Amino acid sequence: MKNAYIKFLTPEDRANGFEQLSQRATVIGLDEGIFCVPLSSLTILNDLNICYTLVPFGDVDRARRRTWHFALTKMPAPA
């Protein structure tokens, strides 16, 4: 399965797009409002006229590093 990295253009598009995609496809959220979705699911957004843009690889790589860095950081011990 091939993936696309997208960013929604408005908060309304993000809410509507995320709702539609989460019901019909796998969605992975990265840092900076970037979402990883199956390439085939972009037709869902296109059919519903939900605006998004494809994200350049450099931005995806930077967001991935921050996302994984956050995920791998140890939680502080409770006081």
Side-chain angles (χ1 to χ4, degrees):
M1 172 175 60
K2 298 195 180 229
N3 296 323
Y5 295 90
I6 63 170
K7 191 180 269 192
F8 293 103
L9 299 184
T10 66
E12 293 80 19
D13 287 329
R14 182 178 176 166
N16 293 335
F18 186 77
E19 180 182 357
Q20 293 299 320
L21 290 174
S22 66
Q23 294 173 4
R24 304 175 194 176
T26 301
V27 181
I28 299 170
L30 301 175
D31 202 16
E32 299 181 21
I34 298 172
F35 293 95
C36 176
V37 299
L39 193 57
S40 60
S41 69
L42 295 180
T43 56
I44 297 168
L45 300 176
N46 294 337
D47 291 345
L48 297 170
N49 294 319
I50 296 173
C51 298
Y52 64 90
T53 186
L54 296 174
V55 179
F57 179 74
D59 293 348
V60 172
D61 189 45
R62 184 177 63 243
R64 251 197 234 156
R65 276 188 265 129
R66 267 198 294 238
T67 301
W68 286 109
H69 177 69
F70 175 79
L72 296 175
T73 303
K74 277 185 141 183
M75 296 287 291

